[in-house]
Amino acid sequence: LLTDGLQSAWEGLANHPVLQKLDAQTSVVVLNVGSGETVENVAITGEPPQEERVIQGLPVLLNATVVNSSADRPAETVLSVLLDDELARQINLTLQPKQRITQSISIIPNHSGMIRGQFQLPGDAFPEDDTFLFCLNAAEKLDVLLVTGPAGESRAGSAEVYVKAALTSPQNVTGAMNLEESRLAAAIQVVTIPFDQLTEALLNTSDAVIAADVPMDAARGILLQRYVESGGGLLILPGVHTNPEDYNQNLLAAATSQLRLAPPVGNEQDESGFQPVGTIDLAHPVLSAFAEKEADYFSTVKFYRYFPLAINQEEPKEQVNTAGSPSVLMRLGDRTAILAEVPLGEGKILVS
């Protein structure tokens, strides 16, 4: 073994199966062939991309771990992300002695197929740990099934109008400033159906489902439950035709005992009373596209009428990994939860 002898380089072997092969009879000889001079070294240990589907034009959240091996000197460095040898992102980092930083980075693949990526640091006295290689396999489209509720008195009252516009409108805007948004919208293939035409066959061809003001009965709940359990993603957007108790009994109860959709509160006609956004988890993949230091997209958002989410646990957590436990992604100024994720089988449900 050739090693720089730093403990941080060996921490990744903790609980590794290879350690079971070493016993009291194993002889290890340490031969110091290194220089006596102190070497300043900043290392990129990286982290493999999460096991999630990568789509051309849609943001992907990557994590890169950078370590300063010096025991007494801070270090300044630049973390670069390259995709197919082209620079995609650069981030300036300052690390204190012995500090380890895991940096979340949002990138957007610009083509489908296999993409060769790497995290890269400027070369130093030990260049072998300044690069971390990874691969992304990007698909061409994300097939989204938009399921809408009962038709209102006018088309302007339909959830379909606003949700579909939000997903597709960037394709109609020209100019270099909107190129990234246009690519993102072009990556989403939206098919819209009324709630009474929802079938298992349609679900099987969809990567994600948006239920916009959809009445929830037992049969529809079972269809969506099976879809999510098999790996699908479901976003619930309640509306004027939503009965919270129907959702709780016919769908959410199968996922968790800790999350419930509460009756709506507030008055959309009263502009004197509203709630602002309080906390938001911009590190989560569904919100990472808004994680820009120079922009605060949610500072002017006002909620006049909304469905609170009741989280049944003594101390609600923003990040929960336990199966069936909800993760709160957005809260109002009064700490009311209004966006949460809950795992179900191999898939996930987002409740807004």
Side-chain angles (χ1 to χ4, degrees), residues 11-339:
E11 289 175 347
L13 278 178
N15 301 319
H16 194 282
V18 73
L19 297 183
Q20 299 174 5
K21 301 180 182 298
L22 303 180
D23 54 26
Q25 280 68 47
T26 302
S27 176
V28 178
V29 177
V30 178
L31 179 63
N32 186 0
V33 298
S35 168
E37 298 180 2
T38 301
V39 176
E40 303 298 332
N41 180 41
V42 178
I44 175 85
T45 63
E47 283 192 15
Q50 298 294 317
E51 292 296 329
E52 61 183 41
R53 187 170 183 205
V54 177
I55 309 293
Q56 172 189 348
L58 293 183
V60 178
L61 196 64
L62 304 174
N63 292 316
T65 301
V66 182
V67 183
N68 179 14
S69 64
S70 174
D72 50 20
R73 294 185 183 180
E76 294 186 357
T77 189
V78 179
L79 172 62
S80 302
V81 184
L82 287 80
L83 301 179
D84 290 335
D85 297 325
E86 292 186 4
L87 182 65
R89 288 289 301 275
Q90 273 191 329
I91 298 175
N92 295 319
L93 296 177
T94 300
L95 297 95
Q96 298 305 312
K98 291 295 185 182
Q99 185 178 11
R100 173 188 295 262
I101 293 178
T102 297
Q103 179 70 45
S104 296
I105 309 161
S106 179
I107 59 97
I108 298 180
N110 58 15
H111 67 83
S112 60
M114 193 62 67
I115 298 173
R116 296 175 294 108
Q118 60 178 295
F119 300 133
Q120 192 176 85
L121 297 175
D124 54 21
F126 190 73
E128 282 75 8
D129 57 10
D130 293 335
T131 302
F132 182 91
L133 306 179
F134 61 90
C135 283
L136 300 173
N137 192 7
E140 291 186 359
K141 295 283 185 180
L142 183 75
D143 293 314
V144 176
L145 181 64
L146 174 57
V147 187
T148 60
E153 296 180 359
S154 66
R155 179 166 169 76
S158 170
E160 173 191 356
V161 174
Y162 302 100
V163 177
K164 195 166 186 178
L167 294 174
T168 61
S169 60
Q171 297 184 67
N172 303 321
V173 181
T174 59
M177 293 293 290
N178 299 95
L179 179 60
E180 185 172 298
E181 289 82 358
S182 179
R183 287 176 177 170
L184 190 150
I188 303 174
Q189 183 71 39
V190 183
V191 175
T192 304
I193 62 167
F195 70 96
D196 53 3
Q197 294 183 16
L198 181 65
T199 64
E200 184 176 4
L202 284 171
L203 290 174
N204 289 340
T205 60
S206 303
D207 297 308
V209 174
I210 301 175
D213 193 19
V214 172
M216 191 58 58
D217 57 17
R220 206 165 291 120
I222 290 175
L223 276 178
L224 292 172
Q225 175 188 336
R226 291 174 178 170
Y227 167 74
V228 176
E229 287 177 337
S230 64
L234 172 63
L235 170 60
I236 297 172
L237 300 174
V240 295
H241 299 100
T242 299
N243 183 335
E245 201 51 42
D246 288 343
Y247 271 83
N248 295 335
Q249 291 181 1
N250 298 320
L251 182 58
L252 295 180
T256 180
S257 61
Q258 301 179 29
L259 175 66
R260 289 294 178 267
L261 190 63
V265 298
N267 182 0
E268 70 273 21
Q269 303 299 327
D270 181 11
E271 295 189 2
S272 63
F274 63 88
Q275 280 286 341
V277 174
T279 59
I280 181 170
D281 181 11
L282 293 177
H284 191 278
V286 301
L287 296 169
S288 62
F290 303 102
E292 298 180 20
K293 292 183 179 180
E294 63 275 11
D296 187 355
Y297 292 99
F298 296 91
S299 60
T300 59
V301 175
K302 300 177 181 179
F303 288 82
Y304 295 96
R305 184 168 172 82
Y306 51 89
F307 288 81
L309 298 179
I311 311 293
N312 300 323
Q313 51 193 50
E314 293 182 2
E315 187 63 33
K317 297 180 180 179
E318 306 306 319
Q319 290 289 343
V320 181
N321 295 323
T322 306
S325 297
S327 301
V328 179
L329 308 183
M330 187 184 296
R331 295 183 184 274
L332 298 180
D334 63 358
R335 298 291 296 164
T336 298
I338 57 166
L339 180 62

